PDB file of all heavy atoms in Angstrom:
ATOM      1  N   ASN A  39     -63.035  -4.180  24.985  1.00 97.00           N
ATOM      2  CA  ASN A  39     -62.717  -3.183  25.947  1.00 97.00           C
ATOM      3  C   ASN A  39     -61.667  -3.741  26.956  1.00 97.00           C
ATOM      4  O   ASN A  39     -61.096  -2.979  27.759  1.00 97.00           O
ATOM      5  CB  ASN A  39     -63.921  -2.651  26.700  1.00 97.00           C
ATOM      6  CG  ASN A  39     -64.808  -1.763  25.845  1.00 97.00           C
ATOM      7  OD1 ASN A  39     -64.483  -1.631  24.671  1.00 97.00           O
ATOM      8  ND2 ASN A  39     -65.850  -1.162  26.444  1.00 97.00           N
ATOM      9  N   ALA A  40     -61.526  -5.065  26.942  1.00 97.00           N
ATOM     10  CA  ALA A  40     -60.486  -5.676  27.834  1.00 97.00           C
ATOM     11  C   ALA A  40     -59.146  -5.567  27.183  1.00 97.00           C
ATOM     12  O   ALA A  40     -58.160  -5.093  27.814  1.00 97.00           O
ATOM     13  CB  ALA A  40     -60.849  -7.133  28.088  1.00 97.00           C
ATOM     14  N   SER A  99     -45.785   3.608  30.223  1.00 98.00           N
ATOM     15  CA  SER A  99     -45.865   2.171  30.001  1.00 98.00           C
ATOM     16  C   SER A  99     -47.319   1.628  29.853  1.00 98.00           C
ATOM     17  O   SER A  99     -47.459   0.384  29.467  1.00 98.00           O
ATOM     18  CB  SER A  99     -45.232   1.469  31.190  1.00 98.00           C
ATOM     19  OG  SER A  99     -46.008   1.705  32.379  1.00 98.00           O
ATOM     20  N   CYS A 100     -48.290   2.377  30.266  1.00 98.00           N
ATOM     21  CA  CYS A 100     -49.683   1.877  30.172  1.00 98.00           C
ATOM     22  C   CYS A 100     -50.593   3.009  30.599  1.00 98.00           C
ATOM     23  O   CYS A 100     -50.161   4.036  31.104  1.00 98.00           O
ATOM     24  CB  CYS A 100     -49.910   0.664  31.056  1.00 98.00           C
ATOM     25  SG  CYS A 100     -49.462   0.907  32.777  1.00 98.00           S
ATOM     26  N   GLY A 101     -51.935   2.730  30.467  1.00 98.00           N
ATOM     27  CA  GLY A 101     -52.959   3.637  30.900  1.00 98.00           C
ATOM     28  C   GLY A 101     -52.858   3.860  32.415  1.00 98.00           C
ATOM     29  O   GLY A 101     -53.100   5.008  32.902  1.00 98.00           O
ATOM     30  N   THR A 102     -52.624   2.864  33.163  1.00 98.00           N
ATOM     31  CA  THR A 102     -52.537   2.928  34.630  1.00 98.00           C
ATOM     32  C   THR A 102     -51.432   3.943  34.986  1.00 98.00           C
ATOM     33  O   THR A 102     -51.656   4.841  35.834  1.00 98.00           O
ATOM     34  CB  THR A 102     -52.245   1.573  35.224  1.00 98.00           C
ATOM     35  OG1 THR A 102     -53.258   0.660  34.820  1.00 98.00           O
ATOM     36  CG2 THR A 102     -52.097   1.661  36.754  1.00 98.00           C
ATOM     37  N   GLU A 103     -50.229   3.788  34.397  1.00 98.00           N
ATOM     38  CA  GLU A 103     -49.176   4.707  34.774  1.00 98.00           C
ATOM     39  C   GLU A 103     -49.614   6.221  34.353  1.00 98.00           C
ATOM     40  O   GLU A 103     -49.381   7.111  35.191  1.00 98.00           O
ATOM     41  CB  GLU A 103     -47.876   4.422  33.967  1.00 98.00           C
ATOM     42  CG  GLU A 103     -46.728   5.330  34.385  1.00 98.00           C
ATOM     43  CD  GLU A 103     -45.515   5.302  33.470  1.00 98.00           C
ATOM     44  OE1 GLU A 103     -45.198   4.213  32.963  1.00 98.00           O
ATOM     45  OE2 GLU A 103     -44.889   6.338  33.326  1.00 98.00           O
ATOM     46  N   ASN A 105     -52.589   7.535  34.295  1.00 98.00           N
ATOM     47  CA  ASN A 105     -53.535   8.004  35.303  1.00 98.00           C
ATOM     48  C   ASN A 105     -52.848   8.362  36.661  1.00 98.00           C
ATOM     49  O   ASN A 105     -53.098   9.387  37.169  1.00 98.00           O
ATOM     50  CB  ASN A 105     -54.634   6.863  35.558  1.00 98.00           C
ATOM     51  CG  ASN A 105     -55.600   6.764  34.489  1.00 98.00           C
ATOM     52  OD1 ASN A 105     -55.652   7.595  33.636  1.00 98.00           O
ATOM     53  ND2 ASN A 105     -56.407   5.688  34.544  1.00 98.00           N
ATOM     54  N   GLU A 128     -64.925   5.226  38.054  1.00 98.00           N
ATOM     55  CA  GLU A 128     -63.678   5.190  37.415  1.00 98.00           C
ATOM     56  C   GLU A 128     -63.071   3.757  37.348  1.00 98.00           C
ATOM     57  O   GLU A 128     -63.478   2.907  38.190  1.00 98.00           O
ATOM     58  CB  GLU A 128     -62.638   6.066  38.064  1.00 98.00           C
ATOM     59  CG  GLU A 128     -63.006   7.545  38.100  1.00 98.00           C
ATOM     60  CD  GLU A 128     -63.114   8.268  36.797  1.00 98.00           C
ATOM     61  OE1 GLU A 128     -62.200   8.184  35.988  1.00 98.00           O
ATOM     62  OE2 GLU A 128     -64.246   8.859  36.479  1.00 98.00           O
ATOM     63  N   HIS A 129     -62.150   3.533  36.482  1.00 97.00           N
ATOM     64  CA  HIS A 129     -61.379   2.251  36.472  1.00 97.00           C
ATOM     65  C   HIS A 129     -60.530   2.182  37.783  1.00 97.00           C
ATOM     66  O   HIS A 129     -60.167   3.216  38.341  1.00 97.00           O
ATOM     67  CB  HIS A 129     -60.444   2.266  35.254  1.00 97.00           C
ATOM     68  CG  HIS A 129     -59.750   0.965  34.994  1.00 97.00           C
ATOM     69  ND1 HIS A 129     -58.521   0.715  35.538  1.00 97.00           N
ATOM     70  CD2 HIS A 129     -60.046  -0.152  34.284  1.00 97.00           C
ATOM     71  CE1 HIS A 129     -58.113  -0.468  35.135  1.00 97.00           C
ATOM     72  NE2 HIS A 129     -59.056  -1.019  34.425  1.00 97.00           N
ATOM     73  N   ALA A 131     -57.560   1.888  38.061  1.00 97.00           N
ATOM     74  CA  ALA A 131     -56.255   2.651  37.938  1.00 97.00           C
ATOM     75  C   ALA A 131     -56.391   4.023  38.455  1.00 97.00           C
ATOM     76  O   ALA A 131     -55.434   4.774  38.724  1.00 97.00           O
ATOM     77  CB  ALA A 131     -55.902   2.744  36.437  1.00 97.00           C
ATOM     78  N   MET A 176     -63.429  10.062  33.908  1.00 98.00           N
ATOM     79  CA  MET A 176     -63.150   9.260  32.665  1.00 98.00           C
ATOM     80  C   MET A 176     -64.009   9.778  31.496  1.00 98.00           C
ATOM     81  O   MET A 176     -65.096  10.314  31.667  1.00 98.00           O
ATOM     82  CB  MET A 176     -63.396   7.801  32.952  1.00 98.00           C
ATOM     83  CG  MET A 176     -64.823   7.407  33.087  1.00 98.00           C
ATOM     84  SD  MET A 176     -64.986   5.757  33.973  1.00 98.00           S
ATOM     85  CE  MET A 176     -63.777   4.745  33.303  1.00 98.00           C
ATOM     86  N   ALA A 178     -64.871   7.795  28.743  1.00 98.00           N
ATOM     87  CA  ALA A 178     -65.877   6.717  28.468  1.00 98.00           C
ATOM     88  C   ALA A 178     -65.734   5.612  29.445  1.00 98.00           C
ATOM     89  O   ALA A 178     -64.590   5.228  29.831  1.00 98.00           O
ATOM     90  CB  ALA A 178     -65.624   6.156  27.084  1.00 98.00           C
ATOM     91  N   ASN A 179     -66.857   5.176  29.960  1.00 98.00           N
ATOM     92  CA  ASN A 179     -66.781   4.101  31.000  1.00 98.00           C
ATOM     93  C   ASN A 179     -66.458   2.753  30.336  1.00 98.00           C
ATOM     94  O   ASN A 179     -67.111   2.365  29.292  1.00 98.00           O
ATOM     95  CB  ASN A 179     -68.039   3.993  31.769  1.00 98.00           C
ATOM     96  CG  ASN A 179     -67.934   2.996  32.868  1.00 98.00           C
ATOM     97  OD1 ASN A 179     -68.217   1.804  32.713  1.00 98.00           O
ATOM     98  ND2 ASN A 179     -67.480   3.496  34.044  1.00 98.00           N
ATOM     99  N   ASN A 180     -65.523   1.959  30.882  1.00 97.00           N
ATOM    100  CA  ASN A 180     -65.110   0.727  30.267  1.00 97.00           C
ATOM    101  C   ASN A 180     -66.170  -0.369  30.333  1.00 97.00           C
ATOM    102  O   ASN A 180     -66.186  -1.261  29.515  1.00 97.00           O
ATOM    103  CB  ASN A 180     -63.839   0.218  30.919  1.00 97.00           C
ATOM    104  CG  ASN A 180     -63.798   0.357  32.423  1.00 97.00           C
ATOM    105  OD1 ASN A 180     -63.973   1.375  33.008  1.00 97.00           O
ATOM    106  ND2 ASN A 180     -63.630  -0.814  33.088  1.00 97.00           N
ATOM    107  N   ASP A 205     -59.406  10.097  32.019  1.00 98.00           N
ATOM    108  CA  ASP A 205     -58.917   8.797  31.581  1.00 98.00           C
ATOM    109  C   ASP A 205     -59.737   8.476  30.342  1.00 98.00           C
ATOM    110  O   ASP A 205     -60.882   8.171  30.320  1.00 98.00           O
ATOM    111  CB  ASP A 205     -59.288   7.858  32.712  1.00 98.00           C
ATOM    112  CG  ASP A 205     -58.997   6.361  32.302  1.00 98.00           C
ATOM    113  OD1 ASP A 205     -58.676   6.125  31.141  1.00 98.00           O
ATOM    114  OD2 ASP A 205     -59.062   5.501  33.196  1.00 98.00           O
ATOM    115  N   ALA A 206     -58.979   8.700  29.206  1.00 98.00           N
ATOM    116  CA  ALA A 206     -59.613   8.451  27.848  1.00 98.00           C
ATOM    117  C   ALA A 206     -59.232   7.097  27.228  1.00 98.00           C
ATOM    118  O   ALA A 206     -59.252   6.977  26.017  1.00 98.00           O
ATOM    119  CB  ALA A 206     -59.301   9.588  26.927  1.00 98.00           C
ATOM    120  N   VAL A 207     -58.742   6.183  28.083  1.00 98.00           N
ATOM    121  CA  VAL A 207     -58.285   4.937  27.624  1.00 98.00           C
ATOM    122  C   VAL A 207     -59.334   4.211  26.694  1.00 98.00           C
ATOM    123  O   VAL A 207     -58.936   3.544  25.700  1.00 98.00           O
ATOM    124  CB  VAL A 207     -57.872   4.035  28.813  1.00 98.00           C
ATOM    125  CG1 VAL A 207     -57.807   2.568  28.499  1.00 98.00           C
ATOM    126  CG2 VAL A 207     -56.622   4.476  29.408  1.00 98.00           C
ATOM    127  N   GLN A 208     -60.639   4.272  27.064  1.00 98.00           N
ATOM    128  CA  GLN A 208     -61.601   3.584  26.276  1.00 98.00           C
ATOM    129  C   GLN A 208     -62.156   4.517  25.156  1.00 98.00           C
ATOM    130  O   GLN A 208     -62.783   4.020  24.236  1.00 98.00           O
ATOM    131  CB  GLN A 208     -62.822   3.121  27.122  1.00 98.00           C
ATOM    132  CG  GLN A 208     -62.437   2.047  28.107  1.00 98.00           C
ATOM    133  CD  GLN A 208     -62.037   0.718  27.437  1.00 98.00           C
ATOM    134  OE1 GLN A 208     -62.334   0.515  26.284  1.00 98.00           O
ATOM    135  NE2 GLN A 208     -61.477  -0.171  28.230  1.00 98.00           N
ATOM    136  N   VAL A 227     -53.967   7.551  27.694  1.00 98.00           N
ATOM    137  CA  VAL A 227     -54.224   6.602  26.553  1.00 98.00           C
ATOM    138  C   VAL A 227     -53.525   5.308  26.880  1.00 98.00           C
ATOM    139  O   VAL A 227     -52.568   5.315  27.460  1.00 98.00           O
ATOM    140  CB  VAL A 227     -53.589   7.247  25.206  1.00 98.00           C
ATOM    141  CG1 VAL A 227     -53.823   6.312  24.044  1.00 98.00           C
ATOM    142  CG2 VAL A 227     -54.039   8.621  24.930  1.00 98.00           C
ATOM    143  N   SER A 228     -54.195   4.251  26.354  1.00 98.00           N
ATOM    144  CA  SER A 228     -53.471   2.890  26.507  1.00 98.00           C
ATOM    145  C   SER A 228     -53.456   2.231  25.160  1.00 98.00           C
ATOM    146  O   SER A 228     -54.458   2.100  24.463  1.00 98.00           O
ATOM    147  CB  SER A 228     -54.271   2.032  27.503  1.00 98.00           C
ATOM    148  OG  SER A 228     -53.809   0.740  27.449  1.00 98.00           O
ATOM    149  N   GLY A 229     -52.214   1.760  24.788  1.00 98.00           N
ATOM    150  CA  GLY A 229     -52.029   1.188  23.435  1.00 98.00           C
ATOM    151  C   GLY A 229     -52.875  -0.033  23.201  1.00 98.00           C
ATOM    152  O   GLY A 229     -53.443  -0.167  22.159  1.00 98.00           O
ATOM    153  N   HIS A 230     -52.927  -0.937  24.212  1.00 98.00           N
ATOM    154  CA  HIS A 230     -53.600  -2.278  23.910  1.00 98.00           C
ATOM    155  C   HIS A 230     -55.037  -2.203  23.724  1.00 98.00           C
ATOM    156  O   HIS A 230     -55.698  -3.168  23.349  1.00 98.00           O
ATOM    157  CB  HIS A 230     -53.162  -3.277  24.908  1.00 98.00           C
ATOM    158  CG  HIS A 230     -53.787  -3.187  26.315  1.00 98.00           C
ATOM    159  ND1 HIS A 230     -54.820  -3.931  26.656  1.00 98.00           N
ATOM    160  CD2 HIS A 230     -53.468  -2.382  27.345  1.00 98.00           C
ATOM    161  CE1 HIS A 230     -55.212  -3.693  27.946  1.00 98.00           C
ATOM    162  NE2 HIS A 230     -54.372  -2.713  28.361  1.00 98.00           N
ATOM    163  N   LYS A 231     -55.634  -0.986  23.932  1.00 98.00           N
ATOM    164  CA  LYS A 231     -57.132  -0.844  23.663  1.00 98.00           C
ATOM    165  C   LYS A 231     -57.337  -0.406  22.208  1.00 98.00           C
ATOM    166  O   LYS A 231     -58.508  -0.290  21.771  1.00 98.00           O
ATOM    167  CB  LYS A 231     -57.734   0.178  24.599  1.00 98.00           C
ATOM    168  CG  LYS A 231     -57.473  -0.012  26.061  1.00 98.00           C
ATOM    169  CD  LYS A 231     -58.174  -1.201  26.723  1.00 98.00           C
ATOM    170  CE  LYS A 231     -57.771  -1.291  28.117  1.00 98.00           C
ATOM    171  NZ  LYS A 231     -58.379  -2.432  28.800  1.00 98.00           N
ATOM    172  N   GLY A 237     -48.402  -2.677  27.152  1.00 98.00           N
ATOM    173  CA  GLY A 237     -47.142  -2.176  27.721  1.00 98.00           C
ATOM    174  C   GLY A 237     -46.675  -0.836  27.234  1.00 98.00           C
ATOM    175  O   GLY A 237     -45.493  -0.492  27.340  1.00 98.00           O
ATOM    176  N   VAL A 238     -47.612  -0.118  26.602  1.00 98.00           N
ATOM    177  CA  VAL A 238     -47.277   1.224  26.137  1.00 98.00           C
ATOM    178  C   VAL A 238     -48.544   2.130  26.269  1.00 98.00           C
ATOM    179  O   VAL A 238     -49.638   1.683  26.070  1.00 98.00           O
ATOM    180  CB  VAL A 238     -46.683   1.301  24.700  1.00 98.00           C
ATOM    181  CG1 VAL A 238     -47.695   0.798  23.682  1.00 98.00           C
ATOM    182  CG2 VAL A 238     -46.148   2.674  24.311  1.00 98.00           C
ATOM    183  N   ARG A 380     -70.869  -7.661  29.593  1.00 98.00           N
ATOM    184  CA  ARG A 380     -70.445  -6.661  28.663  1.00 98.00           C
ATOM    185  C   ARG A 380     -69.958  -7.246  27.365  1.00 98.00           C
ATOM    186  O   ARG A 380     -69.150  -8.205  27.375  1.00 98.00           O
ATOM    187  CB  ARG A 380     -69.268  -5.787  29.238  1.00 98.00           C
ATOM    188  CG  ARG A 380     -68.732  -4.712  28.307  1.00 98.00           C
ATOM    189  CD  ARG A 380     -67.483  -4.127  28.814  1.00 98.00           C
ATOM    190  NE  ARG A 380     -66.359  -5.014  28.795  1.00 98.00           N
ATOM    191  CZ  ARG A 380     -65.182  -4.788  29.299  1.00 98.00           C
ATOM    192  NH1 ARG A 380     -64.949  -3.619  29.959  1.00 98.00           N
ATOM    193  NH2 ARG A 380     -64.180  -5.643  29.246  1.00 98.00           N
TER     194      ARG A 380
HETATM  195  N1  LIG B   1     -58.628   3.087  32.358  1.00 51.36           N
HETATM  196  C1  LIG B   1     -59.659   2.381  31.740  1.00 51.36           C
HETATM  197  C2  LIG B   1     -60.944   3.115  31.525  1.00 51.36           C
HETATM  198  C3  LIG B   1     -59.450   1.058  31.323  1.00 51.36           C
HETATM  199  O1  LIG B   1     -60.427   0.429  30.684  1.00 51.36           O
HETATM  200  C4  LIG B   1     -58.193   0.457  31.542  1.00 51.36           C
HETATM  201  C5  LIG B   1     -57.974  -0.928  31.184  1.00 51.36           C
HETATM  202  O2  LIG B   1     -58.855  -1.767  31.187  1.00 51.36           O
HETATM  203  C6  LIG B   1     -57.148   1.153  32.177  1.00 51.36           C
HETATM  204  C7  LIG B   1     -57.382   2.507  32.532  1.00 51.36           C
HETATM  205  C8  LIG B   1     -55.827   0.663  32.437  1.00 51.36           C
HETATM  206  O3  LIG B   1     -55.041   0.634  31.235  1.00 51.36           O
HETATM  207  P1  LIG B   1     -53.778  -0.295  31.155  1.00 51.36           P
HETATM  208  O4  LIG B   1     -54.203  -1.705  31.073  1.00 51.36           O
HETATM  209  O5  LIG B   1     -53.025   0.158  29.976  1.00 51.36           O
HETATM  210  O6  LIG B   1     -52.970  -0.062  32.394  1.00 51.36           O
END
Side-chain angles (χ1 to χ4, degrees):
N39 286 7
S99 65
C100 57
T102 300
E103 182 192 328
N105 284 349
E128 300 296 309
H129 186 270
M176 68 203 320
N179 186 271
N180 44 302
D205 173 350
V207 161
Q208 294 293 346
V227 182
S228 170
H230 72 102
K231 309 290 182 181
V238 64
R380 176 190 71 189

